[in-house]
């Protein structure tokens, strides 16, 4: 939550910061602000609301300094307002912050007693006061930051400027992501890679406890003990174009249409058709460990949790290992029974979701092996897990997860195949069939995307419905949950996902002629039962939108609207079913005029508990 950027170098600083914030706005959009030097002084411009409000405030104003910091906010402490917007400045010190300072109230009292006057309700403001306190005591900028950080409890990614020193930008990280971009004669800091991609692909990924001192000539990084450390730069192979809208009205629509490409990139180099196996070289699993696995825990939040639920079906089917799928925020608070011969798999687009990260730490503490499935390279989950498998979806900017979900399902399919083959539960021939079908999936996804106009018409037809039900069974049930989540989060229409068999235990009371019910009715071993559920809805005059197998005339006759899903294995059908549900949510939201890419109250990565 919240995004920070910083720049030191010869370019027009305010422009670099604003452009960077545009690419970080998915992290929060309650207010935005920048601090830049002009005629030797730090000038702050900040404004409640989206970045466009800040741009309007700045107008044609120019600044002559070569260093600056910027922030886009997702409010935690203090409502969205101009006063609570970052940067916060005390004395000579200006700060932008992503994270939460837990002991800010006690520190605030101490600082107040020393004469500091606060102007915001934020936890962040105490950081600028605290550092300024030590600067006033005569410490160097770097020393003042280090001493202040020792006193702070909580999480932070920080960008800090000092009035009077235009050759100094300090960055610090603890439990909130922060990267440093290495340009030629210029350096960048940001909460994530995309804002820096137009300038360089060489990055330093900061570790917890590290503090970096950036000047226009060099970057020095210090570890938690204060010793200078040498950091190996890493090259990121995302291109800046990947983080552009590319002619689409919204990032979400672009990302929905990118899914076939994202799946191809995710399976590339990871299939051995000859061996009928997945090649997960990035996971150097010890085969003896695989043979000893007692249970697998799939832990995630939101959309990634729905991928976990699908993963449970895949792994149990291919590997016959019991799997528990759990929500990150629930897992660690139930004193989970997990240990040495268990495998914990965390699934996360950002790799920074606080609840998922906490679950991983808890499982590791109890002796389990941890594998992370992540999209963001070098994210916290990726670094803290014993093994990592990256989804190669490319940057996902829309707050609603789309292409990363499809690629998570693909990785879970590959993981289940790999373990199933290793355990001898899948034969080479069975593995080959699975691979053959997986390779067809991107093409089938393209086919599915051709239904977008039809889905748009359905969205228009049901635009005024206030509630939706989504029903699915078996491996399609998590997709019902995902469809409902997509609709809720971007169109603000109430929606519930249910296992179809549960309908008669309660939700059936909701059904009337106003209520659209989306039924996932593709052919599999529970198909007949889903047909009965459709009959039950129709008997109560509910409106049914069915997602059915190609040319399933029986379903088509019974329902109000039908979208045909290309034929594939039941284990791969969830990937295809997701597409029309994403499109339905997208068009409903777009027709309603909501802010599709930045829905209200949400942030792309939830780095607070
Ligand atoms: O980055 P993560 O995959 O860990 O994020 C988890 C959820 O916050 C995320 O999936 C969220 O539910 C999305 N807004 C769903 O579209």
């Amino acid at each position: 939550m919240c995004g920070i950027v910083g720049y030191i170098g010869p370019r027009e600083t305010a422009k670099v910061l604003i452009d960077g914030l545009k690419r970080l706005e998915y992290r929060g959009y309650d207010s935005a602000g920048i601090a830049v030097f002009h005629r030797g002084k730090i000038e702050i411009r900040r404004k409640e609301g989206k970045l466009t409000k800040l741009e309007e405030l700045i107008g044609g104003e120019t600044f002559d300094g070569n260093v600056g910091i910027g922030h886009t906010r997702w409010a935690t402490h203090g409502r969205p307002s101009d006063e609570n917007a970052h940067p916060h400045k005390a004395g000579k010190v200006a700060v932008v912050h992503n994270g939460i300072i837990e002991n800010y109230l006690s520190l605030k009292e101490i600082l107040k007693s020393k004469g500091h006057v606060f102007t915001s309700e934020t936890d962040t403001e105490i950081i600028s006061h605290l550092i300024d306190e030590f600067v006033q005591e005569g410490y160097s900028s770097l020393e003042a930051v280090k001493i202040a950080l020792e006193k702070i409890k909580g999480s932070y990614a920080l960008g800090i400027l000092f009035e009077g020193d235009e050759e100094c930008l300090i960055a610090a990280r603890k439990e909130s992501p922060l990267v440093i971009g290495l340009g030629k004669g210029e350096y960048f800091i940001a909460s994530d890679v995309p804002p820096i991609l137009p300038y360089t692909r060489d990055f330093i990924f900061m570790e917890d406890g590290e503090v970096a001192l950036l000047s226009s000539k060099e970057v020095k990084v210090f570890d938690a003990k204060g010793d200078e450390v040498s950091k190996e730069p890493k090259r990121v192979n995302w291109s800046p174009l990947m983080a552009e809208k590319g002619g689409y009205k919204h990032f979400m629509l672009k990302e929905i249409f990118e899914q076939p490409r994202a799946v191809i990139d995710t399976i590339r180099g990871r299939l051995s058709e000859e061996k009928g196996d997945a090649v997960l070289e990035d996971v150097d699993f010890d085969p003896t460990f695989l043979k000893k696995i007692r249970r697998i825990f799939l832990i995630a939040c939101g959309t990634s949790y729905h991928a976990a639920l699908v993963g449970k079906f895949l792994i149990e089917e291919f590997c016959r290992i019991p799997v528990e799928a759990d929500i990150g925020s629930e897992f660690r608070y139930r004193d989970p029974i997990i240990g040495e011969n268990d495998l914990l798999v965390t699934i996360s687009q950002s790799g920074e979701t606080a609840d998922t990260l906490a679950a991983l730490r808890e499982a590791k503490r109890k002796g389990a092996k941890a594998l992370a499935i992540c999209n963001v390279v070098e994210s916290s989950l990726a670094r803290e897990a014993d093994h990592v498998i990256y989804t190669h979806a490319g940057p996902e900017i829309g707050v609603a997860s789309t292409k990363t979900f499809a690629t998570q399902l693909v990785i879970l399919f590959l993981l289940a195949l790999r373990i199933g083959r290793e355990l001898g539960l899948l034969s080479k021939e069975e593995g080959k069939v699975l691979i053959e079908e997986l390779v067809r999936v991107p093409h089938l996804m393209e086919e599915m995307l051709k239904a977008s106009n039809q889905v748009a018409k359905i969205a228009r037809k049901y635009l005024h419905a206030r509630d939706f039900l989504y029903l699915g069974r078996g491996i399609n049930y998590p997709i019902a949950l995902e469809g409902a989540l997509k609709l809720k989060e971007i169109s603000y229409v109430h929606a519930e996902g249910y296992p179809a068999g549960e309908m008669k235990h309660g939700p059936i009371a909701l059904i009337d002629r106003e209520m659209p019910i989306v039924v996932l009715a593709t052919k599999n071993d529970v198909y007949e039962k889903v047909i009965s559920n459709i009959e039950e809805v129709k008997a109560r005059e509910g409106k049914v939108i069915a997602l059915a197998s190609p040319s399933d005339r029986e379903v088509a006759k019974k329902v109000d609207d039908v979208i045909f899903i290309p034929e594939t294995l039941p284990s791969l059908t969830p990937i295809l079913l997701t597409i029309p549900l994403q499109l339905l949510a997208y068009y409903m939201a777009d027709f309603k005029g909501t802010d599709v890419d930045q829905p209200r109250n949400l942030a792309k990565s939830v780095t607070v508990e």
Side-chain angles (χ1 to χ4, degrees):
M1 329 296 258
C2 300
I4 71 166
V5 287
Y7 175 69
I8 187 159
R11 294 176 201 258
E12 198 184 322
T13 306
K15 186 173 176 318
V16 173
L17 297 176
I18 297 282
D19 286 350
L21 291 178
K22 280 185 189 153
R23 289 163 188 266
L24 276 184
E25 219 184 354
Y26 69 86
R27 298 181 68 89
Y29 28 83
D30 291 333
S31 64
I34 58 170
V36 280
F37 276 84
H38 187 61
R39 299 198 176 149
K41 289 228 161 332
I42 293 178
E43 294 288 337
I44 292 185
R45 301 289 177 270
R46 52 186 191 171
K47 193 75 196 147
E48 179 190 346
K50 297 210 165 173
L51 194 56
T52 46
K53 298 271 181 221
L54 176 68
E55 286 182 283
E56 281 165 23
L57 175 74
I58 294 173
E61 204 178 358
T62 53
F63 307 91
D64 62 14
N66 292 324
V67 59
I69 50 179
H71 187 268
T72 180
R73 179 166 187 246
W74 187 84
T76 56
H77 294 60
R79 76 207 141 82
S81 69
D82 291 353
E83 299 72 39
N84 289 335
H86 300 210
H88 291 283
K89 183 164 178 269
K92 292 183 180 309
V93 181
V95 169
V96 287
H97 169 220
N98 167 33
I100 288 182
I101 303 306
E102 288 158 12
N103 59 340
Y104 82 104
L105 284 175
S106 56
L107 289 172
K108 198 170 182 174
E109 285 315 307
I110 298 169
L111 288 160
K112 271 184 181 170
S113 70
K114 292 184 172 177
H116 289 259
V117 178
F118 289 82
T119 56
S120 81
E121 303 157 304
T122 65
D123 52 338
T124 302
E125 197 186 348
I126 64 110
I127 305 174
S128 49
H129 284 270
L130 200 56
I131 298 171
D132 185 58
E133 176 74 15
F134 296 114
V135 169
Q136 283 182 33
E137 284 181 20
Y139 290 98
S140 71
S141 306
L142 186 63
E143 283 307 317
V145 170
K146 286 182 182 169
I147 301 168
L149 294 182
E150 280 166 18
K151 308 210 173 295
I152 285 171
K153 289 202 185 96
S155 58
Y156 49 78
L158 294 169
I160 310 160
L161 295 184
F162 297 84
E163 208 155 59
D165 189 355
E166 291 195 51
E167 262 299 303
C168 173
L169 164 61
I170 293 187
R173 171 198 160 129
K174 186 173 162 244
E175 293 167 20
S176 292
L178 196 55
V179 301
I180 300 174
L182 307 173
K184 289 201 173 72
E186 59 181 352
Y187 299 102
F188 307 79
I189 60 167
S191 300
D192 200 351
V193 164
I196 305 178
L197 281 177
Y199 313 103
T200 178
R201 293 198 195 170
D202 295 322
F203 289 86
I204 287 175
F205 292 87
M206 289 185 73
E207 307 279 341
D208 277 351
E210 286 182 346
V211 175
L213 178 62
L214 290 78
S215 70
S216 60
K217 292 184 191 61
E218 61 179 358
V219 175
K220 288 182 175 175
V221 182
F222 303 88
D223 65 15
K225 285 187 255 141
D227 298 328
E228 191 174 344
V229 283
S230 130
K231 302 278 290 184
E232 187 67 29
K234 301 229 161 97
R235 184 146 263 249
V236 171
N237 57 11
W238 289 358
S239 83
L241 280 182
M242 288 167 112
E244 305 283 351
K245 275 194 206 148
Y248 285 89
K249 186 169 177 191
H250 294 103
F251 278 111
M252 180 181 178
L253 190 60
K254 177 194 170 223
E255 288 159 3
I256 291 172
F257 274 83
E258 273 179 346
Q259 292 182 104
R261 195 271 310 144
V263 167
I264 291 173
D265 286 349
T266 299
I267 59 181
R268 183 176 293 122
R270 286 173 165 163
L271 300 178
S272 165
E273 297 186 38
E274 198 191 321
K275 291 187 186 153
D277 204 346
V279 183
L280 296 175
E281 273 169 359
D282 21 11
V283 197
D284 50 346
F285 273 137
D286 171 1
T288 54
F289 169 70
L290 285 185
K291 292 198 170 103
K292 280 193 299 197
I293 295 180
R294 196 175 50 170
R295 256 179 330 160
I296 297 182
F297 293 79
L298 301 177
I299 309 294
C301 298
T303 288
S304 300
Y305 169 63
H306 300 152
L309 290 172
V310 174
K312 172 178 166 69
F313 280 90
L314 296 172
I315 295 172
E316 290 191 343
E317 182 187 337
F318 295 176
C319 319
R320 307 309 296 157
I321 296 175
V323 177
E324 281 191 36
D326 207 349
I327 294 171
S329 53
E330 292 295 317
F331 176 76
R332 98 191 117 117
Y333 290 114
R334 63 179 166 85
D335 193 9
I337 305 167
I338 185 167
E340 246 191 13
N341 291 326
D342 297 322
L343 174 66
L344 178 103
V345 182
T346 51
I347 306 165
S348 172
Q349 184 288 127
S350 60
E352 301 294 345
T353 301
D355 290 319
T356 310
L357 197 52
L360 175 127
R361 289 176 183 152
E362 172 70 2
K364 282 190 75 173
R365 196 180 63 77
K366 291 189 159 176
K369 271 250 174 308
L371 163 69
I373 298 175
C374 284
N375 192 45
V376 175
V377 177
E378 290 291 322
S379 54
S380 302
L381 273 174
R383 282 184 291 124
E384 292 195 27
D386 302 303
H387 306 278
V388 57
I389 309 178
Y390 287 114
T391 51
H392 295 313
E396 188 177 69
I397 310 291
V399 163
S401 303
T402 52
K403 59 177 178 171
T404 51
F405 181 64
T407 54
Q408 287 168 348
L409 297 187
V410 166
I411 293 291
L412 287 161
F413 184 90
L414 293 177
L415 183 66
L417 169 60
R418 177 75 273 282
I419 301 177
R421 289 286 291 118
E422 187 68 43
L423 298 183
L425 286 161
L426 287 174
S427 67
K428 193 205 284 191
E429 291 316 312
E430 287 168 322
K432 280 183 179 174
V433 171
L434 292 175
I435 287 176
E436 257 168 44
E437 205 51 31
L438 178 61
V439 169
R440 284 181 64 233
V441 164
H443 166 69
L444 302 179
M445 295 172 92
E446 295 283 5
E447 286 296 306
M448 198 64 263
L449 287 164
K450 289 188 187 141
S452 68
N453 287 342
Q454 186 203 355
V455 180
K457 281 192 194 133
I458 295 174
R460 178 83 67 198
K461 180 171 165 187
Y462 296 103
L463 195 54
H464 301 295
R466 285 194 324 207
D467 305 278
F468 271 69
L469 261 189
Y470 286 69
L471 302 179
R473 288 189 89 130
I475 196 167
N476 293 343
Y477 158 56
I479 306 306
L481 293 177
E482 175 58 9
L485 174 62
K486 286 285 93 91
L487 193 68
K488 274 185 278 213
E489 71 178 327
I490 60 167
S491 72
Y492 315 146
V493 172
H494 173 244
E496 299 268 359
Y498 258 93
E502 271 291 288
M503 188 179 67
K504 54 187 175 295
H505 298 288
I508 199 162
L510 295 168
I511 296 172
D512 61 17
R513 61 181 61 163
E514 305 298 319
M515 176 82 148
I517 320 235
V518 180
V519 185
L520 311 187
T522 46
K523 291 211 168 132
N524 55 23
D525 50 4
V526 286
Y527 169 74
E528 300 297 340
K529 300 195 187 304
V530 176
I531 299 299
S532 306
N533 296 133
I534 291 178
E535 300 282 7
E536 288 157 14
V537 173
K538 289 315 294 175
R540 285 153 185 91
E541 299 189 68
K543 301 274 181 286
V544 175
I545 304 161
L547 273 53
S549 296
S551 5
D552 185 343
R553 298 292 151 210
E554 200 198 333
V555 166
K557 267 190 277 158
K558 293 182 200 295
V559 302
D560 299 83
D561 297 278
V562 60
I563 300 166
F564 291 117
I565 308 294
E567 198 84 62
T568 183
L569 299 172
S571 52
L572 290 167
T573 305
I575 302 177
L576 302 182
L577 283 169
T578 311
I579 294 176
L581 301 188
Q582 294 167 341
L583 287 168
L584 181 63
Y586 171 78
Y587 287 117
M588 292 273 294
D590 189 35
F591 296 153
K592 281 176 185 291
T594 65
D595 195 338
V596 172
D597 284 332
Q598 295 170 352
R600 66 185 178 207
N601 305 335
L602 287 173
K604 181 82 182 154
S605 56
V606 184
T607 54
V608 294
E609 262 196 67

